[in-house]
Amino acid sequence: MIPLRPFPILLAALSAAALLPAQTPEPKAKAKAPSAAGGQAARAAMAAVAAPTDPAALTVAPGFKVELLYTVPKEEQGSWVALAVDPKGRITAGDQYGGLYRITVPPLGTSAGTKVEKLNVTLPSVPTPSGGEARPTPKRAVATDGSASPSVGAHGLLYAFGSLYVMVDEVPAKQGIWRLRDTDGDDQFDEVKYLREMRGSGEHGPHSLALSPDGKSIYFANGNHTDLPTNLNTSRPVRWDEDHLLPRMWDARGHAKNKYAPGGYIGRMDPDGKSVELFALGFRNQYDLSFDQNGELFTYDSDMEWDQGTPWYMPTRINHVIGGADYGWRSGAGRWPDYYADSLPATVNFGPGSPTGTVFGTGAKFPAKYQLALYAADWTYGTLYAVHHSPDGATWKGRKEEFISGKPLPLTDLVVNPADGAMYFAVGGRRTQAALYRVTYTGTESTAPAKPAPLNADVQLRRSLEALHAEGTGPEAIATAWPHLSHPDRFIRFAARVAIERQITENWADRALNEKNPQAAIEALIALARVGPKYHQPKIIEALSRLDFAKQPAALQLPLLRAWQLAFARGGKPDAATCARVAAKLDPHFPHADAFVNRELHALLVFLDSPSVVAKTVPLLSVSEPATVTGEMLGGAQLIARNDNYGKVVSSVGDSRPDRQQIAYAYNLRHATVGWTPQLRLQFFSWFARTATWRGGNSFSGFIQNIRTETLANVPDAAERAALNALSKPTAPTFAAGAVTPKGPGRNYTVAEATALVDGKLVGRDFAQGKGLFTATACTVCHRFGNEGSGIGPDLTGAGNRYSVKDLFENIIEPSKVISDQYDSQQFDLADGSTIVGRVVGEENGELVLMSNPFMPDEKTKVKASDVKSRKTYPVSMMPPGLVNSLNENELRDLVAYILSGGNPASPMFKK
């Protein structure tokens, strides 16, 4: 049995000279509620310690002014993540884990006198979806002054239809959309109704709400750990699936395993929640959604930062969301590239980050271009972007501008208040210090209301085709949409295909199979492969075979390959003779001059058991990645770190840069069973030694090793398999390298003591010592920093952009106070009466694979799923407390300066 706290073996994982034993903190005395007389002084002292970033320290676009309106007393009012403007121009804020607060802001020109009152809202117990017993009401949190604080846990707030709609996420018993009303006119909500359950999971669960442009319905955004609502009335996307030609590899650290399409999605419902439809899908974790002045929908979707360095990494991005669209998120290595014909691309890619709130500048007293901009908040790197869109056919292309940035500035949500034309944004989240700021324009440009450019003909055509997606359209939609399958605009083709997919297949299958226009034929055959019965597959193969790959223009080659993939992914693998016939058609074109065509051709040839693909591919593992792939996407082929220049990209160089094209080939070859020779296998497994210095996200090395493991499993001869295993076995990293032995003397630091010693004293620090102490205190064992370290805990590269000194020390000294659901562990009670605590990193053959010791992450424990009586989130962090207790005061300052600088030696904190 694994003990509940398996951390004393830390010293076995690190050099004894690199780390002094951490002292055990003394038990804390129970906090006493302050008296009425002393409460104000206590709050003032707390505010002084946990002051948010001064507006004067922010980098702000020219002509704009930022004011700090309110510092949230954390212990009383929590950490704010959601904002909404009520009909009277007041702002309602939601604490991530607590209640709702009403803010009356001071008039423009003064920042004093912000009034905050707690709303008296208590969510009652609600019935289970099956209509069984009511769920128990969670225990109320108790503030330090002894007052009751009912937990709401809102991620989204919306005033509409004379109500406040609340999307509850953080209270599992009450997840979903609630409607609050004031029926007696006393300015308090007295009617509380549960409209729709949205069952999800924490930070990837139910999120934000938005009113439709016509004012008749409500749109909502849910992350990729959220189930679809029950009893969907209609669904614009049709027959989504995983659509992988080769078996997908799950995340190497177990994240989102067995989470399938639709992933994150956007839905909409009527004001009473009775009619709900799925609008668009294929997002990872889009927190918010916003309509522009023309009624077009946009969202800011997250990346999977652990995937950095892999071919399937996709950066954070702005998506223009159209009805029925799929934006390609699939879990693990299954993420679709944005060139797939059955997906849609971003308007602009950002890079690594944590998307939170979005809003258009509509109604703001800003210059015209800022009224028309989309504002997108990044929590991790403390940056508020203004995205300026320009027409691009039936969609838009974006240009990002860093509108406001700061350290720390953990942005959560933002609104434009039509009452005064100002923008308001909140910082906070994960119990970090919250605050409310106001943004106004003080420059000389006109702030008269701006009119958006009129919609061009392409956008109007796309909209007319989207109207055909509605339930109840008849066969006439086929005749209307079909001519546009060959339209040069990708978004128009997509809308036309979705319209056709909604119709009865037999009404258009023959037309698809006999279409002569290559562009229209590819789109129609993709549609037939996706929604048609499997008996159409032989005819689809015949129709695709008539399209000579070599004669197709470059713009059609990737869509044609995707049509082939879908024919097999949906219809299944055909007989050997058919596979050989198709492979013979495609084999002469590999390798191709285009890197992306190579990836898709290669996957097809491996699937079809091409006898020559292995011999052609293995030599390519020694060829450097083509330039077209190296710069394919911000944050993709290049590893990204952020420094004090807020968002400036720093790419790693030399041997640490992964070759994404080679990884794509190796990923496919793990399923190749034809064409291997002993020499080819020797060459292939020698490749793993060359990847040892490559650096990527938290899961990068695990993905490489899983490719190795799965390929080894296909080697039939046991002796050869053992030799290849020895040849390619990875070398364990030495995390203690570069450590600086703390001089001490240390002490049992409290959060308050450590904050007082460090805050405001980070000048003239020693960069080299801070870096060495980062290793000595075991930070690098569990956390990534730049391109180094492990991924057991959160990436600390951007810690300075989201954490104040006090928040950082709370995470270090009291790690169990806030545990993100992305990094928690679970307690498993087994049938034999024993208990195991660990993080699930995999599941295979009916067994759960657990990692229980963060300092020996490669040591796994397997538990039969059938032996588990119960499992629940374990409330104690895997990170031991007191890891900084061996440092003296100056060493503590050097370590914190190193972390907050993002590892940048040029930071002002290190200037002598």
Side-chain angles (χ1 to χ4, degrees), residues 747-802:
R747 58 198 274 192
N748 290 336
Y749 291 105
T750 66
V751 172
E753 290 170 344
T755 303
L757 288 169
V758 171
D759 207 11
K761 301 178 178 65
L762 297 181
V763 292
R765 304 321 311 165
D766 187 325
F767 176 83
Q769 177 159 278
K771 182 176 182 180
L773 291 169
F774 188 81
T775 298
T777 53
C779 300
T780 194
V781 175
C782 296
H783 299 277
R784 290 196 63 77
F785 197 78
N787 292 330
E788 303 296 333
S790 180
I792 296 166
D795 191 318
L796 295 182
T797 309
N801 299 76
R802 61 183 183 267

Side-chain angles (χ1 to χ4, degrees), residues 789-858:
S790 180
I792 296 166
D795 191 318
L796 295 182
T797 309
N801 299 76
R802 61 183 183 267
Y803 294 137
S804 67
V805 170
K806 181 174 183 288
D807 290 330
L808 182 64
F809 277 127
E810 283 187 349
N811 281 271
I812 294 172
I813 296 171
E814 301 176 357
S816 296
K817 187 172 183 178
V818 180
I819 306 174
S820 166
D821 58 63
Q822 306 301 300
Y823 299 98
D824 63 8
S825 54
Q826 293 183 309
Q827 177 178 321
F828 297 84
D829 296 322
L830 306 183
D832 63 2
S834 62
T835 297
I836 292 181
V837 172
R839 180 181 298 167
V840 179
V841 295
E843 188 171 350
E844 53 192 42
N845 302 321
E847 292 183 318
L848 300 174
V849 182
L850 308 181
M851 185 270 289
S852 297
N853 184 352
F855 302 109
M856 292 187 174
D858 292 331

Side-chain angles (χ1 to χ4, degrees), residues 269-284:
M269 71 177 195
D270 69 284
D272 297 322
K274 294 179 179 178
S275 176
V276 180
E277 74 168 316
L278 182 63
F279 185 76
L281 58 87
F283 304 101
R284 180 170 186 261

Side-chain angles (χ1 to χ4, degrees), residues 68-70 102-107 110-116 438:
L68 173 61
L69 297 185
Y70 186 67
R102 176 184 289 156
I103 305 106
T104 303
V105 299
T110 174
S111 59
T114 301
K115 177 184 175 183
V116 177
R438 179 164 63 192

Side-chain angles (χ1 to χ4, degrees), residues 575-872:
D575 59 76
T578 301
C579 287
R581 187 169 65 253
V582 176
K585 285 184 65 65
L586 298 177
D587 198 275
H589 307 296
F590 180 81
H592 193 274
D594 184 277
F596 295 136
V597 169
N598 263 351
R599 291 185 190 181
E600 306 310 322
L601 257 177
H602 187 252
L604 270 165
L605 292 171
V606 169
F607 173 84
L608 294 168
D609 298 320
S610 162
S612 62
V613 68
V614 171
K616 287 183 177 182
T617 308
V618 170
L620 298 179
L621 297 180
S622 301
V623 178
S624 297
E625 184 172 323
T628 55
V629 179
T630 301
E632 66 187 275
M633 192 168 296
L634 178 65
Q638 297 170 309
L639 295 180
I640 303 300
R642 305 231 186 178
N643 61 13
D644 283 345
N645 294 320
Y646 301 116
K648 183 177 181 180
V649 175
V650 181
S651 58
S652 62
V653 294
D655 292 338
S656 67
R657 185 186 66 82
D659 192 309
R660 292 178 16 130
Q661 192 74 355
Q662 291 184 15
I663 295 170
Y665 292 147
Y667 179 82
N668 292 336
L669 284 178
R670 81 193 203 280
H671 278 286
T673 58
V674 177
W676 289 103
T677 65
Q679 182 59 34
L680 286 172
R681 283 203 175 97
L682 185 64
Q683 285 182 259
F684 176 80
F685 283 96
S686 298
W687 175 78
F688 290 96
R690 298 199 297 278
T691 71
T693 58
W694 290 358
R695 296 291 180 265
N698 293 349
S699 295
F700 177 81
S701 60
F703 275 124
I704 297 294
Q705 292 312 313
N706 287 346
I707 291 172
R708 170 185 170 277
T709 300
E710 292 187 23
T711 314
L712 271 173
N714 289 327
V715 178
D717 182 78
E720 184 184 14
R721 186 165 60 250
L724 294 173
N725 178 46
L727 171 69
S728 58
K729 195 169 184 177
T731 303
T734 304
F735 290 113
V740 172
T741 303
K743 297 176 182 177
R747 58 198 274 192
N748 290 336
Y749 291 105
T750 66
V751 172
E753 290 170 344
T755 303
L757 288 169
V758 171
D759 207 11
K761 301 178 178 65
L762 297 181
V763 292
R765 304 321 311 165
D766 187 325
F767 176 83
Q769 177 159 278
K771 182 176 182 180
L773 291 169
F774 188 81
T775 298
T777 53
C779 300
T780 194
V781 175
C782 296
H783 299 277
R784 290 196 63 77
F785 197 78
N787 292 330
E788 303 296 333
S790 180
I792 296 166
D795 191 318
L796 295 182
T797 309
N801 299 76
R802 61 183 183 267
Y803 294 137
S804 67
V805 170
K806 181 174 183 288
D807 290 330
L808 182 64
F809 277 127
E810 283 187 349
N811 281 271
I812 294 172
I813 296 171
E814 301 176 357
S816 296
K817 187 172 183 178
V818 180
I819 306 174
S820 166
D821 58 63
Q822 306 301 300
Y823 299 98
D824 63 8
S825 54
Q826 293 183 309
Q827 177 178 321
F828 297 84
D829 296 322
L830 306 183
D832 63 2
S834 62
T835 297
I836 292 181
V837 172
R839 180 181 298 167
V840 179
V841 295
E843 188 171 350
E844 53 192 42
N845 302 321
E847 292 183 318
L848 300 174
V849 182
L850 308 181
M851 185 270 289
S852 297
N853 184 352
F855 302 109
M856 292 187 174
D858 292 331
E859 290 189 359
K860 306 294 194 306
T861 300
K862 293 184 178 181
V863 178
K864 289 184 179 179
S866 59
D867 289 343
V868 177
K869 288 177 59 180
S870 66
R871 60 189 287 184
K872 60 184 178 182

Side-chain angles (χ1 to χ4, degrees), residues 10 23 117 199 217 230 287 348 398 478 487 507 577 638 650 710 717 720 775 832 858 893:
L10 164 64
Q23 294 173 312
E117 57 181 308
R199 184 174 292 182
S217 58
T230 56
Y287 187 86
V348 59
I478 301 171
H487 197 283
N507 288 342
Q638 297 170 309
V650 181
E710 292 187 23
D717 182 78
E720 184 184 14
T775 298
D832 63 2
D858 292 331
R893 294 180 184 121

